[in-house]
Amino acid sequence: MKYVWLVIAVLVLLLGLNSAFVVREGQSALLLQFGRIVQTDYAPGLHVKAPLIQQVVRFDSRIQGLDAPPERYFTSEKKSVNVDFYVKWRVADNAAYYRATSGDANQAAQRLAPVVKDALRFEFNSRTLQDLIAGGRKDITERVLRQTDAAARKNLGIAVVDVRIKRIDLPEEVSESVYKRMRAERLQLANELRYTGQEQAEKIRADADRQGQVLRADAERDAATVRGQGDAEAAAVYAQAYGQDPEFFAFYRSLAAYKKGFADGNGTLVLKPDSELLRYFNDSASKR
């Protein structure tokens, strides 16, 4: 009898342990009963279930990555490119995810890869090689992200968090032609910029020359005006001085002429003895 109660206690303990389960942080879970889903979206923590007849399936709810091998696509001109990309995804709907993949992350990645590749193929087929080189990568990834997220949520219970193109490699024969075209375009742009710069420089020089001529003409005009005013004022002063004392004025003018004529010390004047310029020399000699 004692052994019977011991067995019963052990069975009760096992049933109690089987009726509780733990969902850890970074996990989500759903509950099955005879293979049928009865509850989904368990949050992290301690939960209970019916022992023996119910089973718990746990999923990794963290973001997971799909790093697929490079794939070859063709542009709208039928030129091939090798595209290396990766995808970030997570479980969005536990029930749909379990029905589609049985909760296997590897199976989910295998089923997600063709969805992403088809979306990328459509985007590359609709673009030229020049568009890809000119920076169409961001637009492609945004469109692919929207398309694949909608399809993955509907068919796999997966949310596509991010799609990124790591690199786009051109075949060697295509790369050479692309580099030559890029070089020709850059040379053409450089020549256009150089021509535009020379044209602008000529305009600036011509405008500067014109402004310089205008400024010189204005300065010469103003100088002539000032000189004329000075000469007029000087003439007026001379006339006034002459009117006050003609003899002194004549003497002052003669001194000014002497000073100018002999300023450098080497001047020679050839004059007649009765020249008016020698008047004061003659007067001084007669007085002695």
Side-chain angles (χ1 to χ4, degrees), residues 18 28 32 34 42 48 64 77 81 85 96 105 123 161 165 168 172 179 192 194 210 231 244 248-249 253 274 286:
N18 188 258
S28 61
L32 301 177
F34 302 118
Y42 280 100
V48 295
Q64 304 183 57
E77 314 110 316
V81 291
F85 65 93
E123 294 298 328
V161 178
I165 298 175
I168 300 176
E172 186 175 352
Y179 293 151
E192 291 177 357
R194 190 178 296 110
R210 181 184 60 80
D231 292 341
Q244 294 179 357
F248 177 78
F249 182 75
R253 292 294 299 272
D274 58 348
S286 62

Side-chain angles (χ1 to χ4, degrees), residues 111-250:
R111 296 191 60 181
L112 178 62
V115 177
V116 179
K117 291 178 181 179
D118 289 342
L120 285 171
R121 182 176 294 105
F122 175 80
E123 294 298 328
F124 277 88
N125 290 346
S126 62
R127 284 173 169 78
T128 64
L129 187 60
Q130 180 63 28
D131 292 338
L132 299 177
I133 297 173
R137 182 179 305 185
K138 181 179 179 181
D139 184 50
I140 290 176
T141 54
E142 289 177 352
R143 291 172 61 87
V144 170
L145 176 60
R146 290 196 299 268
Q147 296 172 11
T148 55
D149 181 61
R153 285 177 182 271
K154 179 180 179 181
N155 301 320
L156 301 175
I158 289 174
V160 179
V161 178
D162 193 14
V163 177
R164 291 298 174 94
I165 298 175
K166 292 191 289 187
R167 57 186 298 172
I168 300 176
D169 293 329
L170 304 175
E172 186 175 352
E173 63 275 9
V174 178
S175 299
E176 187 65 25
S177 62
V178 170
Y179 293 151
K180 288 182 179 179
R181 184 167 68 248
M182 291 175 63
R183 177 181 174 82
E185 291 176 353
R186 294 298 181 270
L187 288 175
Q188 180 181 358
L189 178 61
N191 291 332
E192 291 177 357
L193 292 174
R194 190 178 296 110
Y195 173 78
T196 302
Q198 292 175 352
E199 184 180 8
Q200 293 294 329
E202 291 295 334
K203 290 181 179 179
I204 292 173
R205 280 195 290 268
D207 185 63
D209 292 340
R210 181 184 60 80
Q211 293 183 13
Q213 292 176 359
V214 171
L215 291 174
R216 284 192 293 271
D218 291 344
E220 291 175 356
R221 180 199 60 199
D222 295 341
T225 300
V226 172
R227 283 194 296 269
Q229 293 175 351
D231 292 341
E233 292 178 1
V237 172
Y238 291 151
Q240 183 180 5
Y242 181 78
Q244 294 179 357
D245 191 344
E247 182 63 24
F248 177 78
F249 182 75

Side-chain angles (χ1 to χ4, degrees), residues 34-79:
F34 302 118
R36 183 174 58 87
I37 299 174
V38 294
Q39 189 170 348
T40 62
D41 299 328
Y42 280 100
L46 180 64
H47 305 277
V48 295
K49 66 180 181 64
L52 300 180
I53 63 173
Q54 292 183 336
Q55 298 83 37
V56 177
V57 179
R58 297 176 178 83
F59 308 117
D60 191 343
S61 61
R62 297 171 297 181
I63 294 177
Q64 304 183 57
L66 167 62
D67 195 355
E71 192 80 8
R72 173 168 286 196
Y73 300 111
F74 289 90
T75 64
S76 59
E77 314 110 316
K78 304 303 180 184
K79 294 181 178 179

